Amino acid sequence: TALFIKWTEKLRLLNKMNEYLLINMARTQKNKATAHHLGLLKARGSGGGTGEGFDVAKTGDARVGFVGFPSVGKSTLLSNLAGVYSEVAASRVHHSNLVPGVIRYKGAKIQLLDLPGIIEGAKDGKGRGRQVIAVARTCNLILIVLDVLKPLLHKKLIEHELEGFGIRLNKQPPNIGFKKKDKGGINFTATCAQSELDAETVKSILAEYKIHNADITLRSDSTADDLIDVVEGNRVYIPCIYVLNKIDQISIEELDIIYKVPHTVPISAHHRWNFDDLLERMWDYLRLVRIYTKPKGQLPDYTSPVVLPNERTSVEDFCMKIHKNLIKEFKYALVWGSSVKHNPQKVGKDHVMEDEDVIQLVKK
């Protein structure tokens, strides 16, 4: 009990600090003078640890995490998508094991993970939230499953949790150059007009992190949050789809409106409505590249492509994916497809391939 009291005390203090930060932030009316005060408050309050994940072996070519409050139909969606029968409890108790299922789609193996009950306060260590979020950070795509009848509150809460853990949804990393130095003070340059940050604000935010010598280059109109993300450096940028479930309970007119919301796919997990749309959208967001192999003197094997992530599709990446010793024996490759000017084209290991190219390796 002593330990428990110690913890509750600690939590109470944390909450008090957060309240203080929030009240202070609310008090501060936005103007140039307070912009940097706000930046400071944010720097003090910003977290984003990693937490220790429960280990789920990464299988397949991509990993998709499903996040949602209990009883929004997440388990039904998973089991109907994957035929993985995740133990759907009749009660509203949420299960705390990630039930990995793998689906094959367009030749790629995609691992589906149920990230159980990210409830309010997961980032503060409540529930098994911390471990869940650590796994969420390793996903290539996050699906936030929402109940179409009460989507907004849930959406805000889940986003807040994920943000607090350094996960940025549907965002590009801020275009800010940041380089620490040993001496020379803060060297601040902005290549375009800034609506929020100036040299003063930047200096005071960096001072919060005890950084007094650095080069900072703002290449786009950036916020204090952007700068903090870059300085803390442990952020992950993950695409996200909002899955609005239970559309059997709304009217066609409402459905038409939902269809216009960006990053959103309406479905009914129970009736299996609109799954093809969801899968297609998942495929678009994962941006996977399929490469077909062609053994010498045979037809290409179109049934089992080698699947690469969009940012690593060179011939060398392809070789590494198959076996790390392959590159040692590599002489050149013949490639057919949209990445080459003529078919086949003889290429080296640095050639970058595109989706559905065909490759034949020639060894030394």
Side-chain angles (χ1 to χ4, degrees):
T1 48
L3 193 72
F4 176 70
I5 290 166
K6 200 167 145 194
W7 266 107
T8 43
E9 193 54 24
K10 211 165 177 182
L11 273 173
R12 212 171 56 79
L13 275 170
L14 271 171
N15 286 337
K16 274 273 174 286
M17 275 170 63
N18 278 338
E19 264 168 41
Y20 162 75
L21 281 170
L22 285 171
I23 289 165
N24 263 325
M25 275 171 149
R27 266 196 209 134
T28 319
Q29 246 53 57
K30 280 224 175 169
N31 59 34
K32 258 300 185 233
T34 61
H36 104 231
H37 178 65
L38 264 182
L40 287 189
L41 285 175
K42 282 177 173 163
R44 282 181 197 139
S46 99
T50 45
E52 55 292 350
F54 13 28
D55 295 321
V56 180
K58 201 161 185 176
T59 55
D61 302 306
R63 173 181 262 190
V64 178
F66 287 69
V67 184
F69 278 84
S71 68
V72 293
K74 191 174 53 156
S75 310
T76 313
L77 172 58
L78 268 162
S79 54
N80 283 348
L81 265 182
V84 175
Y85 197 76
S86 117
E87 301 293 288
V88 181
S91 69
R92 299 190 50 168
V93 181
H94 47 274
H95 39 256
S96 294
N97 49 343
L98 301 149
V99 184
V102 178
I103 56 171
R104 282 198 82 98
Y105 188 68
K106 298 195 179 187
K109 288 211 270 297
I110 300 170
Q111 183 182 38
L112 307 180
L113 285 188
D114 183 355
L115 303 172
I118 290 191
I119 28 187
E120 298 118 290
K123 68 176 188 303
D124 311 319
K126 288 197 198 116
R128 297 196 52 196
R130 280 191 81 97
Q131 295 122 303
V132 177
I133 299 206
V135 175
R137 284 174 63 96
T138 67
C139 291
N140 306 96
L141 171 64
I142 289 178
L143 264 57
I144 295 182
V145 187
L146 301 165
D147 183 329
V148 75
L149 298 174
K150 41 176 188 275
L152 284 172
L153 177 68
H154 281 185
K155 175 174 182 282
K156 282 276 165 283
L157 287 169
I158 291 171
E159 283 173 343
H160 179 71
E161 284 305 311
L162 296 175
E163 285 269 320
F165 251 82
I167 294 173
R168 300 288 173 262
L169 303 173
N170 292 331
K171 276 191 189 139
Q172 291 302 314
N175 199 347
I176 298 178
F178 168 60
K179 198 165 163 234
K180 286 192 204 174
K181 304 179 294 189
D182 295 335
K183 51 181 191 287
I186 302 293
N187 188 8
F188 169 83
T189 39
T191 58
C192 59
Q194 297 294 320
S195 55
E196 186 175 320
L197 293 177
D198 54 20
E200 202 46 44
T201 314
V202 169
K203 270 193 182 122
S204 47
I205 289 175
L206 291 176
E208 280 292 317
Y209 289 95
K210 305 198 169 32
I211 297 169
H212 304 291
N213 300 294
D215 293 333
I216 292 277
T217 316
L218 307 179
R219 300 191 194 89
S220 60
D221 188 4
S222 309
T223 64
D225 286 338
D226 292 337
L227 179 60
I228 290 167
D229 281 353
V230 170
V231 174
E232 295 212 350
N234 56 357
R235 306 297 189 241
V236 284
Y237 296 84
I238 306 179
C240 168
I241 297 172
Y242 301 97
V243 182
L244 289 180
N245 187 24
K246 309 190 184 177
I247 54 170
D248 47 320
Q249 301 178 13
I250 59 169
S251 69
I252 297 289
E253 291 75 30
E254 288 170 301
L255 192 55
D256 284 341
I257 295 168
I258 291 171
Y259 251 106
K260 296 189 177 84
V261 182
H263 310 301
T264 300
V265 179
I267 61 149
S268 163
H270 180 68
H271 297 286
R272 304 185 184 205
W273 292 348
N274 213 21
F275 277 18
D276 43 359
D277 210 12
L278 178 60
L279 285 165
E280 192 53 51
R281 187 76 73 91
M282 279 163 64
W283 180 259
D284 288 346
Y285 278 49
L286 284 169
R287 298 169 65 211
L288 296 171
V289 171
R290 293 159 292 177
I291 307 294
Y292 302 114
T293 52
K294 180 190 176 317
K296 196 171 177 196
Q298 293 174 30
L299 287 168
D301 174 9
Y302 289 116
T303 55
S304 48
V306 173
V307 179
L308 302 170
N310 184 54
E311 59 283 354
R312 290 196 296 280
T313 62
S314 71
V315 173
E316 184 170 2
D317 294 322
F318 169 84
C319 293
M320 293 305 281
K321 172 103 188 205
I322 295 172
H323 197 284
K324 55 183 180 294
N325 291 339
L326 199 56
I327 199 74
K328 292 179 187 147
E329 306 164 9
F330 176 84
K331 191 173 171 191
Y332 64 89
L334 294 172
V335 173
W336 291 255
S338 55
S339 72
V340 290
K341 291 194 177 69
H342 42 88
N343 289 317
Q345 188 170 317
K346 189 172 160 182
V347 300
K349 66 176 173 36
D350 296 329
H351 175 74
V352 174
M353 296 182 286
E354 287 173 19
D355 192 27
E356 302 209 81
D357 277 2
V358 172
I359 189 171
Q360 178 183 324
L361 296 178
V362 179
K363 295 181 182 177
K364 286 174 183 160

